[in-house]
């Protein structure tokens, strides 16, 4: 009897194994077959691209700042500075004029909190340092320009006794290219804006100084280092900026990890062999005077803390390659050449007559987003009017979204084209595409947010192109391969807010959206308009006018001046 039972169990187990195997084979068979990876003798090898990028970690800026950091340590360790006589240094590292540092010691351990007093309601900046200590280093950010700022410092003992000290910090006038801007706030409903926890609106410019404003439009932070396109807050509270040797230099070839005081923690130096200009209509004479860069539109931090960057690979094709940079060595550890993933005729037959430098800008990748849930990557191609998702490890395509008809794609790509629901807007020259965190618990759906310039480059809607720009949110069902539009803002603003290039949309954690109409006045881009909306109601409206050449707002972000994971430690 036991033998029969054992035999029956083995048969049952075999059926289960066969059933599971069959399901796995069926599931594998149901998945569309990936297009063959593109091969072409003219394409660069991975080794050659790595060589062309030539990235490395250097310590040039950190070494230059070492004496400043040591001097601050010495001041703190000297014991000469008390709560009644603090050492205060404005702009300690020379690149952040509206930031300061205060140092002092106390006999008893105290917890320190401090406030840069704002000029109106909800514009004060407050920070609390962790723990009870006797040595105190206060990173002070959010000062007003050309003002004798009031900073109130609260010292709390373990017994709960609070002592308040007040210091005053006099700042200089704004840098000329910021002072010449016209910043006009026409709406600021502070009860509905997302501005808690010291959040400011950061303006990341295509060139020149990045800066941040409060709800009144007052500049409360800026960097004296010109930065191009790149600004991201990292998981440690630091920021990444695309930088160059000096403000007069023409090549942006350094990524610096810094903070709002201007202290540099890491510097990724990039070769300038792959440089290319952003100005596609420049004359041959002026071409040599244009700002040039290797890393161009976006950099993000991966879960392993490496950086992922959009780059040009050094060939005649530009802005179509993605590289991963090691945060430990600065070296390129992975390359994704989009010419090997997308159809060959996209880049082989692309009309490059808009450029005078002989380069082919067929893809113009302007955004990166890493989806941790399935280890995939979302990119935005302005010149193909295309948003796509692919497996980061393999480069296998997950889905494609564009106005290009499914039948116009090569057959091998057709199974990956999303089917748009009725009334769903296709994009034109879009920017800043990224996925939102899950809100409905459905693992099959993803919400995609982007800024739709509505400028048809190759596959956009030519009927509406040029009439308006908008932020758009979509829901994508990755199981059924469908996409439907669920929210938009901007269409009713019409041509006044149309931007043929530049822009951003950010969903804030209270559900509001911050939208950057970045390149107004299409002939010269002398204006930008940043709007925060709650649903479809404006709660903040900032106009940035009188913008100098190539100084327009590439992206606007709402971010805290004191990220929760940031600490400043002289040691």
């Amino acid at each position: 009897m036991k033998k029969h039972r054992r035999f029956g169990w083995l048969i049952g187990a075999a059926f289960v194994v066969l059933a599971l195997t069959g399901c796995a084979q069926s599931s594998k068979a149901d998945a569309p077959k990936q297009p063959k990876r593109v091969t072409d003798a003219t394409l660069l090898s991975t080794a050659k691209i790595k060589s062309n990028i030539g990235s490395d970690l250097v310590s040039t800026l950190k070494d230059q700042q070492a004496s400043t950091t040591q001097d601050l340590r010495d001041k703190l360790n000297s014991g000469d500075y008390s709560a009644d006589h603090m050492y205060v240094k404005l702009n300690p590292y020379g690149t952040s004029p509206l930031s300061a540092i205060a140092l002092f010691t106390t006999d008893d351990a105290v917890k320190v909190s401090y406030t840069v007093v704002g000029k109106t309601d909800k514009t004060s900046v407050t920070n609390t340092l962790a723990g009870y200590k006797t040595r105190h280093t206060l990173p002070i950010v959010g000062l007003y320009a050309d003002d004798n700022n009031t900073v109130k410092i609260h010292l709390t003992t373990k017994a709960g006794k609070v002592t308040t000290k007040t210091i005053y910090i006099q700042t200089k006038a704004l840098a000329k290219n910021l002072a010449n801007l016209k910043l006009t706030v026409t709406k600021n409903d502070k009860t509905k804006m997302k501005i808690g926890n010291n959040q400011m609106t950061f303006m990341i410019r295509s060139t020149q100084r990045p800066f941040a404003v409060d709800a009144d439009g007052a500049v409360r932070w800026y960097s004296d280092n010109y930065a191009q396109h790149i600004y991201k807050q990292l998981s440690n509270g630091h920021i990444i900026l695309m930088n160059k040797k000096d403000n007069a230099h023409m090549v942006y070839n350094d990524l610096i990890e810094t903070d709002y005081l201007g202290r540099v923690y890491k510097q990724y130096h990039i070769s300038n062999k792959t440089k290319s200009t952003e100005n596609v209509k420049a004359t041959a004479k002026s071409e040599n005077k244009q700002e040039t860069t290797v890393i161009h539109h976006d950099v993000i931090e991966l879960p392993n803390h490496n950086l992922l960057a959009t780059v040009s690979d050094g060939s005649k094709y530009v802005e179509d390659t993605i590289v991963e940079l090691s945060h430990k060595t600065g070296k390129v550890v992975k390359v994704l050449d989009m010419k090997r993933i997308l159809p060959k005729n996209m880049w082989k037959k692309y009309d490059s007559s808009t450029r005078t430098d002989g380069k082919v800008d067929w893809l113009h990748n302007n955004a990166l987003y890493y989806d941790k849930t399935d280890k995939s990557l979302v990119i935005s191609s302005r010149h193909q009017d295309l948003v796509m998702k692919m497996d980061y490890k393999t480069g296998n395509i997950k889905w494609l979204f564009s106005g290009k008809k499914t039948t116009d794609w090569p057959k091998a790509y057709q199974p990956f084209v999303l089917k748009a629901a009725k009334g769903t807007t296709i994009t034109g020259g879009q920017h800043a595409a990224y996925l939102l965190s899950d809100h409905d618990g459905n693992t099959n759906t993803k919400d995609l947010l982007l800024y739709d310039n509505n400028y048809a480059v190759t596959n956009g809607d030519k009927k509406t192109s040029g009439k308006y720009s908008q932020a758009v949110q979509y829901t994508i069902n990755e199981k059924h391969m469908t996409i439907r539009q669920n929210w938009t803002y901007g269409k009713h603003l019409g041509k006044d807010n149309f931007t043929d290039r530049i822009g951003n949309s950010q969903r804030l954690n209270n559900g509001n959206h911050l939208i950057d109409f970045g390149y107004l006045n299409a002939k010269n881009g002398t204006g930008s308009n940043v709007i925060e909306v709650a649903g479809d109601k404006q709660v903040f409206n900032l106009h940035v006018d009188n913008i100098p050449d190539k100084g327009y707002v590439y992206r606007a972000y709402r971010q805290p001046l004191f990220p929760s994971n940031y600490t400043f430690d002289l040691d």
Side-chain angles (χ1 to χ4, degrees), residues 404-433:
K404 190 173 185 175
K405 293 180 180 178
T406 302
T407 52
D408 289 341
W409 287 88
K411 285 187 177 181
Y413 292 84
Q414 292 179 11
F416 302 97
V417 177
L418 295 175
K419 183 179 180 181
K422 186 177 180 180
T424 295
T425 304
I426 63 171
T427 64
Q430 76 291 322
H431 284 75

Side-chain angles (χ1 to χ4, degrees), residues 425-452:
T425 304
I426 63 171
T427 64
Q430 76 291 322
H431 284 75
Y434 75 103
L435 299 179
L436 305 178
S437 57
D438 180 54
H439 64 89
D440 60 4
N442 186 343
T443 56
N444 293 325
T445 61
K446 302 284 184 180
D447 273 2
L448 171 71
L449 181 66
L450 54 80
Y451 178 78
D452 177 20

Side-chain angles (χ1 to χ4, degrees), residues 298 300-302 308-310 321-324 334-336 338 341 365 367-380 387-399 433-435 478:
D298 209 1
I300 61 173
E301 181 183 18
L302 294 171
L308 200 62
T310 55
T321 304
I322 302 163
V323 296
E324 181 180 341
K334 183 177 176 64
V335 173
L336 282 172
M338 298 306 297
I341 295 171
N365 182 15
L368 297 170
Y369 176 80
Y370 183 80
D371 186 354
K372 297 177 184 178
T373 64
D374 60 1
K375 300 179 181 178
S376 62
L377 187 65
V378 175
I379 74 164
S380 164
V387 181
M388 68 176 288
K389 187 179 186 183
M390 58 187 174
D391 182 274
Y392 178 61
K393 183 178 181 180
T394 63
N396 287 344
I397 298 171
K398 287 182 176 279
W399 48 255
Y434 75 103
L435 299 179
E478 296 186 321

Side-chain angles (χ1 to χ4, degrees), residues 308-498:
L308 200 62
T310 55
V311 301
S312 296
D313 65 6
S315 70
K316 73 174 184 177
Y317 300 98
V318 295
E319 302 192 11
D320 62 1
T321 304
I322 302 163
V323 296
E324 181 180 341
L325 304 176
S326 167
H327 73 285
K328 295 179 179 179
T329 66
K331 300 291 187 184
V332 176
V333 295
K334 183 177 176 64
V335 173
L336 282 172
D337 183 353
M338 298 306 297
K339 294 185 290 295
R340 296 187 180 276
I341 295 171
L342 287 169
K344 194 173 187 177
N345 62 1
M346 275 190 174
W347 49 274
K348 275 285 189 179
K349 297 181 180 180
Y350 189 81
D351 180 10
S352 60
S353 61
T354 55
R355 298 186 67 103
T356 60
D357 59 0
K359 301 290 186 179
V360 182
D361 190 8
W362 66 280
L363 190 73
H364 200 92
N365 182 15
N366 59 31
L368 297 170
Y369 176 80
Y370 183 80
D371 186 354
K372 297 177 184 178
T373 64
D374 60 1
K375 300 179 181 178
S376 62
L377 187 65
V378 175
I379 74 164
S380 164
S381 163
R382 179 181 189 267
H383 288 180
Q384 295 296 329
D385 305 315
L386 167 72
V387 181
M388 68 176 288
K389 187 179 186 183
M390 58 187 174
D391 182 274
Y392 178 61
K393 183 178 181 180
T394 63
N396 287 344
I397 298 171
K398 287 182 176 279
W399 48 255
L400 303 161
F401 173 51
S402 80
K404 190 173 185 175
K405 293 180 180 178
T406 302
T407 52
D408 289 341
W409 287 88
K411 285 187 177 181
Y413 292 84
Q414 292 179 11
F416 302 97
V417 177
L418 295 175
K419 183 179 180 181
K422 186 177 180 180
T424 295
T425 304
I426 63 171
T427 64
Q430 76 291 322
H431 284 75
Y434 75 103
L435 299 179
L436 305 178
S437 57
D438 180 54
H439 64 89
D440 60 4
N442 186 343
T443 56
N444 293 325
T445 61
K446 302 284 184 180
D447 273 2
L448 171 71
L449 181 66
L450 54 80
Y451 178 78
D452 177 20
N453 295 80
N454 192 31
Y455 177 69
V457 184
T458 51
N459 300 298
D461 187 342
K462 291 180 173 58
K463 292 181 180 179
T464 64
S465 179
K467 294 182 179 179
Y468 59 86
S469 297
Q470 61 183 351
V472 191
Q473 190 171 308
Y474 304 89
T475 296
I476 297 171
N477 190 307
E478 296 186 321
K479 181 178 180 180
H480 298 139
M481 296 296 282
T482 59
I483 182 169
R484 61 176 175 82
Q485 181 177 305
N486 60 49
W487 175 86
T488 67
Y489 186 88
K491 183 176 181 179
H492 68 286
L493 300 176
K495 285 190 175 182
D496 286 346
N497 277 57
F498 167 70

Side-chain angles (χ1 to χ4, degrees), residues 42 46 56 74 109 118 157 196 205 230 232 242 255 283 303 305 317 361 413 516:
T42 63
T46 295
D56 202 359
D74 292 343
T157 67
R205 305 171 79 182
I230 308 302
K232 287 289 171 71
M242 192 69 192
L255 275 175
T283 64
H305 304 301
Y317 300 98
D361 190 8
Y413 292 84
D516 167 35

